[in-house]
Amino acid sequence: MELRQLRYFLTLTEELHFGRAAERLNIVQSAVSQQLRRLERELGVDLFDRSTRTVRLTEAGHRLLPHAERVLADVEAARAAIDDLRSRRDGTVRLGTSTGLGARLDTLLARFRELAPDATLDLVTAPVADRLRRVRSGELDATLVRGEQRDAALELLAVWHDPLVVALPARHDLAVRSRIELAALADLPLRLASRQRNPPLYDLVLDSCRRAGFTPTLGPEFTTDQDTLAAIGFGTPSWTVYYAAQAGQIAPPGVVFRPLAPPAPAMPTYLAVRPDPPRAELRALIQACMSIVDEPRADRS
């Protein structure tokens, strides 16, 4: 019996759907099915009743469930205890980060150094779900996340709001304005990451557009900064959004960034931590995050 088999088993008991379980685990569906079949062969029982429409736990599955939960909880607790001991010894705080922090991250690093000059801040980049899992298990001390996340095992501390700015072609008539009203963008296609890739940003932008009186026409999906901004600057006129802190640090050719007229949408950012009493270095990180109150604006061409 392998730990990954128990992890796959628990995920499937929560989802009761092989496709969704595989998506949560970031693996292909066939791998979930294969490992669960191996677990069932080892135990000599069926853990799930499978049909074309439903997946249900068998009696054996129900009996295994609390034991699997305890085993994995003990493993995570053991890993967290060792990681915590190691980090306490070397004064390292392991922080998960989001893309597009821009000047926010520079300010955070400087403020943390002021508050904890003998500590080290280790930055980790990973998908949101992975970062939250690592905080739960103790592999990370905290992570920055955008938008509210539902996780009963973690505490979300509101730290700042990132205003959005619009990126549009420098040659477009709107580019001469110092601020852009969202409604003025209604006739231009919007390049945005899909909701599957970035639910908080997708929902914030579309909700803001609807409140401004229109549903945006979605153009080609936002891919990379380089490709998307090049397409906006030199291709068919379109627009996208950036966090102001990030836009203030880049100057792509053919593109201008303009603030949005009030009420401008802003993305809430949280620091996710375990609810345990924080050690001194983590308290310094929390204080550093809480001290970042200024909202940088981008108005560069």
Side-chain angles (χ1 to χ4, degrees), residues 169-299:
R171 66 187 188 279
H172 196 275
D173 291 343
L174 292 174
V176 300
R177 301 186 184 183
S178 60
R179 291 179 181 273
I180 307 294
E181 293 185 357
L182 264 178
L185 300 165
D187 294 332
L188 288 177
L190 168 63
R191 292 175 176 262
L192 195 64
S194 67
R195 191 178 190 282
Q196 182 178 7
R197 286 173 52 199
N198 195 335
L201 182 61
Y202 185 94
D203 290 344
L204 175 61
V205 174
L206 264 67
D207 288 346
S208 298
C209 289
R210 293 186 186 111
R211 286 196 297 271
F214 73 101
T215 299
T217 299
L218 296 179
E221 187 174 336
F222 189 109
T223 51
T224 64
D225 291 333
Q226 178 177 317
D227 291 351
T228 300
L229 291 174
I232 289 175
F234 301 102
T236 302
S238 58
W239 66 287
T240 190
V241 293
Y242 268 75
Y243 299 112
Q246 179 185 18
Q249 293 189 326
I250 58 178
V255 173
V256 294
F257 294 106
R258 293 290 181 260
L260 288 161
M267 177 67 73
T269 298
Y270 299 88
L271 186 70
V273 296
R274 292 183 299 281
D276 314 320
R279 54 193 172 93
E281 293 85 356
L282 181 54
R283 287 199 303 272
L285 173 65
I286 294 171
Q287 186 177 347
C289 289
M290 295 295 187
S291 71
I292 303 176
V293 295
D294 293 333
E295 297 185 351
R297 301 289 180 178
D299 190 6

Side-chain angles (χ1 to χ4, degrees), residues 25-215:
L25 293 162
N26 292 316
I27 58 175
V28 296
Q29 183 173 329
S30 59
V32 179
S33 300
Q34 183 183 57
Q35 290 300 323
L36 287 174
R37 285 296 188 192
R38 288 180 179 176
L39 179 59
E40 288 175 326
R41 284 198 297 270
E42 181 176 345
L43 296 174
V45 293
D46 288 334
L47 299 173
F48 295 94
D49 283 328
R50 304 163 174 85
S51 71
T52 56
R53 294 186 177 181
T54 61
V55 176
R56 295 181 301 175
L57 273 173
T58 63
E59 181 181 354
H62 280 291
R63 293 198 174 207
L64 176 63
L65 180 57
H67 300 286
E69 290 174 334
R70 281 197 297 271
V71 167
L72 291 180
D74 287 345
V75 169
E76 288 202 357
R79 183 184 291 116
I82 297 302
D83 287 342
D84 184 60
L85 175 62
R86 185 174 63 247
S87 63
R88 286 174 185 271
R89 285 176 174 173
D90 62 18
T92 298
V93 177
R94 296 146 303 173
L95 173 67
T97 62
S98 301
T99 58
L101 288 172
R104 296 282 198 200
L105 184 58
D106 296 338
T107 305
L108 174 59
L109 293 174
R111 184 61 179 146
F112 179 76
R113 181 174 292 275
E114 292 175 3
L115 295 170
D118 297 326
T120 300
L121 191 59
D122 186 13
L123 303 180
V124 177
T125 301
V128 175
D130 190 30
R131 283 185 277 127
L132 291 171
R133 178 189 62 78
R134 293 188 194 186
V135 175
R136 287 194 301 269
S137 69
E139 295 174 62
L140 293 177
D141 295 290
T143 185
L144 292 165
V145 292
R146 289 196 173 97
E148 293 189 20
Q149 306 287 331
R150 296 180 180 178
D151 197 316
L154 299 178
E155 184 176 359
L156 293 181
L157 308 176
V159 290
W160 64 71
H161 282 75
D162 275 317
L164 299 183
V165 297
V166 60
L168 70 161
R171 66 187 188 279
H172 196 275
D173 291 343
L174 292 174
V176 300
R177 301 186 184 183
S178 60
R179 291 179 181 273
I180 307 294
E181 293 185 357
L182 264 178
L185 300 165
D187 294 332
L188 288 177
L190 168 63
R191 292 175 176 262
L192 195 64
S194 67
R195 191 178 190 282
Q196 182 178 7
R197 286 173 52 199
N198 195 335
L201 182 61
Y202 185 94
D203 290 344
L204 175 61
V205 174
L206 264 67
D207 288 346
S208 298
C209 289
R210 293 186 186 111
R211 286 196 297 271
F214 73 101
T215 299

